[in-house]
Amino acid sequence: MIKEIIQKTLLLAAIMILTVFFVSYLTIGTTQEIVLVFEIFLLSFFISIIQQLLKKIVFSHYLLSIVIEYFSISTFVLLYGYFVQWFAKSNWWIVFLYVAIVYLPAYFLDMAIVKNDINYINAKLERRRKNEDNI
C-alpha cells in the first residue's frame, strides 16, 4: 500500500512537472531550467531502461547485482552529463557521489517495502495453513 502511494505520488509529480515545463516551453520558449528538466527526465528514462536490461541478467549474488547496477548507472550518468555539459572534466568524480546519494535511500526504501511484502505474504500463507489444518 505504501509502495503504491509513493509510486503514484512520484508519477503524479512527474506528470505535473512535465506539463508545467512543457506549457512554459510553448509560451516562453527554451530556458536553461526547461532544458534541465527535460534532460533529467530523459536521463531517468534511460536509467529505467538500463535497470530493466540489467534485471534480465540474473546474478546469483544480490550484492554483486547492486554493485554492477550502481557502476553501470554511474557510468551512463557520467557520459550523459558530459554530453549535456552538466559538469566540467575536472569534477567528473562527483557523479558517483550523486548516484550514491540517490540510490542509497532508494534501496533502503525498497528493502523495507520488500520486507513488508514478504511479511504480508508469510502471514497470509500461515492463515491458509491454519485454515487447511482446521478442515
Side-chain angles (χ1 to χ4, degrees), residues 10-135:
L10 293 176
L11 182 61
L12 179 61
I15 291 170
M16 291 168 60
I17 291 168
L18 279 176
T19 303
V20 167
F21 276 90
F22 185 70
V23 169
S24 296
Y25 170 74
L26 292 176
T27 57
I28 44 177
T30 303
T31 64
Q32 287 180 337
E33 293 83 13
I34 292 172
V35 170
L36 177 63
V37 167
F38 290 140
E39 288 173 350
I40 289 172
F41 273 95
L42 185 62
L43 175 64
S44 65
F45 174 74
F46 287 133
I47 288 173
S48 296
I49 289 173
I50 291 170
Q51 287 174 326
Q52 291 302 318
L53 291 174
L54 287 174
K55 286 181 182 178
K56 297 287 183 189
I57 303 169
V58 179
F59 295 105
S60 58
H61 299 289
Y62 180 70
L63 186 60
L64 177 64
S65 64
I66 290 174
V67 169
I68 289 172
E69 182 177 348
Y70 170 75
F71 281 110
S72 299
I73 298 299
S74 297
T75 303
F76 182 79
V77 171
L78 177 68
L79 293 172
Y80 185 85
Y82 177 76
F83 285 112
V84 296
Q85 300 172 353
W86 280 347
F87 28 78
K89 292 179 183 179
S90 62
N91 67 348
W92 59 269
W93 57 270
I94 200 96
V95 170
F96 295 98
L97 179 65
Y98 283 147
V99 172
I101 289 171
V102 171
Y103 263 69
L104 283 176
Y107 272 109
F108 284 123
L109 179 63
D110 193 41
M111 285 190 317
I113 291 170
V114 167
K115 183 178 179 184
N116 287 339
D117 290 346
I118 289 171
N119 290 338
Y120 174 77
I121 291 169
N122 285 337
K124 211 170 190 176
L125 288 172
E126 186 64 32
R127 277 186 257 138
R128 276 192 185 167
R129 275 189 230 129
K130 286 181 181 179
N131 288 341
E132 288 175 359
D133 290 341
N134 291 336
I135 296 179

